[in-house]
Amino acid sequence: QVQLVESGGGLVQAGGSLNLSCAASGSTFSIFNMGWYRQAPGKQRELVAVSGSSGTTDYADSVKGRFTISRDNAKNTVYLQMNSLESEDTAVYYCYIHYFSNWKWADYWGQGTQVTVSS
């Protein structure tokens, strides 16, 4: 069974930084995409950043130049360095993996970590 453990959320002032991390463990699997989504109150969940197994990355336009996603494949861990945070970045951030196990593809989400940016 897959488990995702997220950490690094919290309260920060506008212009500050936070670093989120998410470690995957559990069943034998091959992880392909690892990424982060977020959901603000009253809004739909949206993609923030994703990292492919080949090293490719993609970002939401709203975070380009401010957020950086990285991963450590040996540790099955993905990170999100968030700089120049804005009040609009306030949301619950969810870790996400797309993986292959037991001859099938699957997706798994973490429980979320709150990020609050005060203006």
Side-chain angles (χ1 to χ4, degrees):
Q1 186 166 350
V2 177
Q3 289 184 326
L4 295 177
V5 178
E6 301 157 324
S7 62
L11 173 64
V12 65
Q13 288 188 333
S17 299
L18 284 174
N19 188 32
L20 306 182
S21 65
C22 172
S25 63
S27 304
T28 301
F29 51 39
S30 296
I31 299 176
F32 284 80
N33 291 343
M34 302 186 80
W36 296 90
Y37 283 69
R38 68 186 181 187
Q39 187 166 18
K43 294 187 177 181
Q44 290 188 329
R45 190 174 297 189
E46 63 174 356
L47 172 69
V48 176
V50 62
S51 171
S53 58
S54 61
T56 58
T57 58
D58 195 18
Y59 297 90
D61 288 341
S62 60
V63 307
K64 284 180 181 177
R66 300 188 298 121
F67 292 9
T68 302
I69 190 169
S70 61
R71 62 192 280 177
D72 183 336
N73 290 327
K75 296 181 179 180
N76 286 333
T77 299
V78 63
Y79 306 94
L80 185 67
Q81 177 64 42
M82 304 185 292
N83 298 328
S84 302
L85 283 161
E86 304 168 353
S87 57
E88 291 78 12
D89 296 317
T90 295
V92 177
Y93 284 69
Y94 297 91
C95 177
Y96 157 82
I97 63 170
H98 181 63
Y99 66 98
F100 187 78
S101 179
N102 294 327
W103 304 105
K104 62 182 179 180
W105 294 96
D107 299 321
Y108 198 82
W109 299 84
Q111 292 188 334
T113 184
Q114 177 70 47
V115 171
T116 303
V117 183
S118 62
S119 56

